[in-house]
């Protein structure tokens, strides 16, 4: 059962345009969401996160939007740059107790930004 | 550099063998997670340790086991290896509380032949 879904395996955008990466989840217990970026032969790198008490979080060119009723989140990159080309993973977590808990990852979206 | 160190970077072994993957978390992080990434797959959660204790378990096979030592480094043991175990194995660590962002190592690429 895939609790976190990224239905677009790939996305191609022009440099300078907006990239929108989507993610859906099924578990209503998830209350924290993260985006990771991964280059080939490297580990995933944390990009941006959002708590379920918010609907938007912005960090420079990256903005994450959360729609709890639709169980949907999206990552917007504006403007897109060729260096943004990577695989983007959406991840979700549910906090239980006081310690950090496991992240459930989607299958990733390969973003290609064309110069 | 995430601060998480995994060794070895590459491992080639034969079916039926046993291997040990090692992870040193970021300084001060108490939680260690192991993930498996097979070809064209997402990151599958295997197991989490927190301050030496098993905290959460995912779809980890019985042939696989892990532990976290008093110095907080962790080892993932894979035994009776099969061709299908070939994958990238990532370790991640995070602080004890207040932070859910996990920091990943560069991974160990395991090839079973």
């Amino acid at each position: 059962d895939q609790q976190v879904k990224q239905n677009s395996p790939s996305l191609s955008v022009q440099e300078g345009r907006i990239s929108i990466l989507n993610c859906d989840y099924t578990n209503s217990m998830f209350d924290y969401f993260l985006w990771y970026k991964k280059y080939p032969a490297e580990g995933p790198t944390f990009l941006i996160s959002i708590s379920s008490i918010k609907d938007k979080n912005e960090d420079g060119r990256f903005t994450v939007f959360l729609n709890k009723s639709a169980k949907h989140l999206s990552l917007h990159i504006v403007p897109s740059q060729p260096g943004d080309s990577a695989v983007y993973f959406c991840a979700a977590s549910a906090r239980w107790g006081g310690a950090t808990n496991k992240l459930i990852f989607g299958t990733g979206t390969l973003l290609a930004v064309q110069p | 550099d995430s601060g998480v160190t995994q060794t070895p970077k590459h491992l080639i072994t034969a079916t039926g063998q046993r291997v040990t993957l090692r992870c040193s978390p970021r300084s001060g992080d108490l939680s260690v997670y192991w993930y498996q990434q097979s070809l064209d797959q997402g990151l599958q959660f295997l197991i989490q340790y927190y301050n030496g204790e098993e905290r959460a378990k995912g779809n980890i096979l019985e042939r696989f086991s892990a532990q976290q030592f008093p110095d907080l480094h962790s080892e993932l043991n894979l035994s009776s290896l099969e061709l299908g175990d070939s994958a990238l194995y990532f370790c991640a660590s995070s602080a004890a509380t207040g932070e859910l962002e996990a920091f990943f190592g560069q991974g160990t690429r395991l090839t079973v032949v």
Side-chain angles (χ1 to χ4, degrees):
Chain A
D1 176 28
Q2 192 71 26
Q3 298 185 66
V4 178
K5 300 177 185 178
Q6 294 177 259
N7 292 318
S8 298
S10 64
L11 175 68
S12 181
V13 299
Q14 288 295 120
E15 181 179 4
R17 299 288 187 99
I18 184 171
S19 296
I20 300 176
L21 298 110
N22 294 304
C23 178
D24 298 292
Y25 61 96
T26 58
N27 190 339
S28 57
M29 295 293 290
F30 288 145
D31 60 1
Y32 202 79
F33 304 90
L34 306 90
W35 285 93
Y36 281 80
K37 180 167 76 171
K38 185 181 180 306
Y39 294 116
E42 293 184 14
T45 303
F46 169 73
L47 197 56
I48 192 170
S49 63
I50 188 167
S51 163
S52 60
I53 62 173
K54 294 185 174 183
D55 55 18
K56 177 182 174 181
N57 189 26
E58 193 171 351
D59 184 2
R61 296 185 296 113
F62 302 91
T63 303
V64 56
F65 295 91
L66 175 63
N67 182 334
K68 287 190 292 293
S69 60
K71 295 192 177 69
H72 177 85
L73 64 155
S74 61
L75 174 69
H76 292 209
I77 307 174
V78 183
S80 300
Q81 299 173 355
D84 296 328
S85 298
V87 177
Y88 288 78
F89 289 98
C90 167
S93 181
R95 289 288 300 272
W96 298 303
T100 56
N101 213 307
K102 61 180 186 276
L103 296 173
I104 305 298
F105 282 83
T107 50
T109 297
L110 174 62
L111 173 65
V113 180
Q114 309 296 335
Chain B
D1 182 6
S2 67
V4 178
T5 304
Q6 287 187 250
T7 55
K9 283 197 170 60
H10 302 276
L11 199 48
I12 301 175
T13 190
T15 53
Q17 295 298 305
R18 172 191 167 95
V19 297
T20 297
L21 312 183
R22 183 188 168 100
C23 171
S24 294
R26 286 189 321 159
S27 177
D29 283 357
L30 297 180
S31 268
V32 169
Y33 310 78
W34 286 96
Y35 286 85
Q36 179 193 56
Q37 185 182 23
S38 302
L39 192 65
D40 294 334
Q41 298 285 317
L43 290 145
Q44 299 295 321
F45 170 72
L46 295 178
I47 197 163
Q48 177 199 2
Y49 276 82
Y50 172 70
N51 202 20
E53 301 285 329
E54 183 184 301
R55 178 77 182 187
K57 221 168 184 175
N59 297 325
I60 186 167
L61 299 172
E62 284 190 14
R63 300 184 285 109
F64 296 1
S65 65
Q67 53 186 328
Q68 186 179 27
F69 295 88
D71 67 353
L72 300 176
H73 92 271
S74 179
E75 292 181 355
L76 179 67
N77 301 296
L78 315 176
S79 61
S80 303
L81 284 167
E82 302 175 359
L83 295 176
D85 297 328
S86 296
L88 265 170
Y89 291 85
F90 288 103
C91 167
S93 73
S94 64
T97 56
E99 295 177 30
L100 277 170
E101 294 85 2
F103 294 84
F104 282 77
Q106 291 200 313
T108 294
R109 180 170 292 282
L110 173 66
T111 302
V112 182
V113 298

